[in-house]
Amino acid sequence: MALFLAIPALLFGVPWWLLVYATSSGPLFWAGSAVFVLAALSLPAGMFLGHGPRQSDAAVVVGDTLLGAAWMLFTWSVIGAVVRGGLIVAGVDDPARSRIVAAGVVVVWVALMGWATFEARRIPRVRSLDITIPGLGRALDGLRLVVVTDTHFAALNRLGWSRRVVEIVNELRPDIACHAGDLADGSVAKRRAQVEPLGKVEAPLGRFYITGNHEYFGDAPGWIDYMTELGWQPLRNQHEVVERGGDRLVIAGIDDPTGVALDGHGPDLPAALRGADPDVPVILLAHQPKQIVDAVKADVALQVSGHTHGGQIWPFRYLVRLDQPVVAGLSRHGTRTQLYTSRGTGFWGPPFRLFAPSEITVLTLRV
């Protein structure tokens, strides 16, 4: 509880000091302070009522929006404090010094809030890469793997966005379509309408889905069943073999590590690859990039992950990097294994993306 209350106190305390305490007095000071106190109390209340037992969608929207707005205001207030120190050294006196910094922080924050909102709500950009897969048969050269991940269908209804994403995926003419986890936040009953368009994705060699950590915060078995109903193949510590022109490729998938809290769930890569021909290259769907450790040991050719959102709201990417080996893009691990980490197709929680654009990914496999 102390941590739950300390975080909003910090997020709002630094901006309050820079924007209110250092620049105002009298009624303006008390009015500004009241606004910050109200916001600091509303944030934990919204998060608890939205993400706690009550699962209020209205509270989710309030709490998540406040969280993202507070994080951005905190970030630029810290930068503003550094600038303020520079102005002190330069000999700029108060009240001009404090007012210049406060005005600059507010202008930058408002502008970036607008940009981040646009980036979160927009249809994702298409990111295309050619990836060489050792041992890939020539008949599979040019195979197109289209990846969406971290759609996080939630309290903000994005049905129209969902339909447009599916249209773009089909326009890309995938041979294989993959959803790398964090499909939705909430129950199937509340979010199924937003997910339903995924049933119209067309991919002749298969549509594959794995669980992310957020499925296990809600109703993982329900989402697995619903994706099966929509015609997707959940890969729960298992693999499928796809074939074209006599050449084969293993598509494997493992559960997210948070699944260990649910009986019968949790990642098991040896089980996923049991019975697979060791001479056939393996593409592994694993939600978190840090699962690459086991993929390297298993000599996987390519792991496809999401989870990080590319940091979603700068500079959060540097905190993500403390937990994950990669934040975004293509990387090599060990001697044979590559990892592609998507920045995600949607967004989690705060409806903002700052310097971390969303993506629909086309991975073209090459000999």
Side-chain angles (χ1 to χ4, degrees), residues 183-209:
L183 174 67
D185 292 297
S187 67
V188 175
K190 294 180 78 170
R191 313 297 181 215
R192 65 184 299 143
Q194 296 181 66
V195 175
E196 188 273 336
L198 291 177
K200 297 180 180 178
V201 168
E202 299 172 359
L205 295 184
R207 300 178 293 177
F208 302 105
Y209 160 71

Side-chain angles (χ1 to χ4, degrees), residues 36-360:
F36 273 91
V37 169
L38 178 62
L41 294 176
S42 297
L43 174 55
M47 297 300 285
F48 178 75
L49 294 174
H51 298 284
R54 291 190 61 179
Q55 295 287 301
S56 165
D57 280 356
V60 166
V61 173
V62 171
D64 289 354
T65 301
L66 274 174
L67 177 62
W71 171 252
M72 283 191 277
L73 184 59
F74 170 80
T75 297
W76 292 97
S77 294
V78 170
I79 294 171
V82 173
V83 172
R84 191 173 188 271
L87 292 178
I88 292 174
V89 173
V92 179
D93 294 327
D94 265 338
R97 178 178 66 234
S98 295
R99 290 173 180 172
I100 289 170
V101 171
V105 168
V106 170
V107 168
V108 170
W109 176 62
V110 170
L112 290 179
M113 283 271 289
W115 174 251
T117 300
F118 169 76
E119 280 291 299
R121 298 296 192 92
R122 66 168 293 158
I123 301 303
R125 298 170 177 86
V126 174
R127 179 170 171 78
S128 301
L129 292 91
D130 285 7
I131 301 181
T132 299
I133 303 295
L136 187 70
R138 292 198 172 277
L140 294 170
D141 184 56
L143 182 143
R144 294 164 66 82
L145 190 78
V146 174
V147 180
V148 295
T149 183
D150 299 279
T151 45
H152 285 282
F153 294 110
L156 287 172
N157 193 324
R158 288 181 287 147
L159 178 57
W161 179 91
S162 178
R163 290 169 175 163
R164 183 64 184 128
V165 165
V166 169
E167 289 174 1
I168 291 175
V169 169
N170 286 337
E171 289 169 3
L172 294 170
R173 303 181 68 83
D175 297 297
I176 295 172
C178 301
H179 193 299
D182 280 4
L183 174 67
D185 292 297
S187 67
V188 175
K190 294 180 78 170
R191 313 297 181 215
R192 65 184 299 143
Q194 296 181 66
V195 175
E196 188 273 336
L198 291 177
K200 297 180 180 178
V201 168
E202 299 172 359
L205 295 184
R207 300 178 293 177
F208 302 105
Y209 160 71
I210 59 168
T211 55
N213 55 309
H214 279 253
E215 277 87 344
Y216 291 105
F217 298 155
D219 180 18
W223 285 117
I224 291 166
D225 290 344
Y226 187 57
M227 287 296 277
T228 302
E229 181 183 326
L230 292 177
W232 288 69
Q233 171 65 60
L235 293 177
R236 295 205 50 248
N237 301 323
Q238 65 192 86
H239 72 270
E240 296 289 339
V241 178
V242 299
E243 183 174 345
R244 187 167 73 181
D247 290 324
R248 295 177 296 156
L249 179 69
V250 170
I251 307 293
I254 53 178
D255 291 348
D256 186 80
T258 54
V260 296
L262 189 63
D263 187 41
H265 290 251
D268 188 342
L269 186 53
L273 298 179
R274 190 171 296 128
D277 187 335
D279 295 326
V280 176
V282 175
I283 308 298
L284 174 67
L285 304 182
H287 182 63
Q288 299 195 36
K290 63 185 178 184
Q291 293 174 277
I292 192 66
V293 174
D294 292 332
V296 170
K297 294 176 182 177
D299 207 24
V300 166
L302 172 67
Q303 175 178 311
V304 177
S305 298
H307 186 63
T308 68
H309 299 204
Q312 187 164 319
I313 305 175
W314 186 89
F316 199 74
R317 63 174 290 120
Y318 302 109
L319 296 179
V320 173
R321 185 62 181 80
L322 298 176
D323 181 56
Q324 300 291 336
V326 177
V327 176
L330 185 65
S331 55
R332 183 173 291 276
H333 302 262
T335 57
R336 289 174 50 87
T337 303
Q338 299 177 82
L339 165 66
Y340 184 78
T341 305
S342 168
R343 290 186 300 246
T345 309
F347 59 84
W348 172 82
F352 309 112
R353 271 188 173 269
L354 184 61
F355 309 143
S358 56
E359 65 180 76
I360 297 169

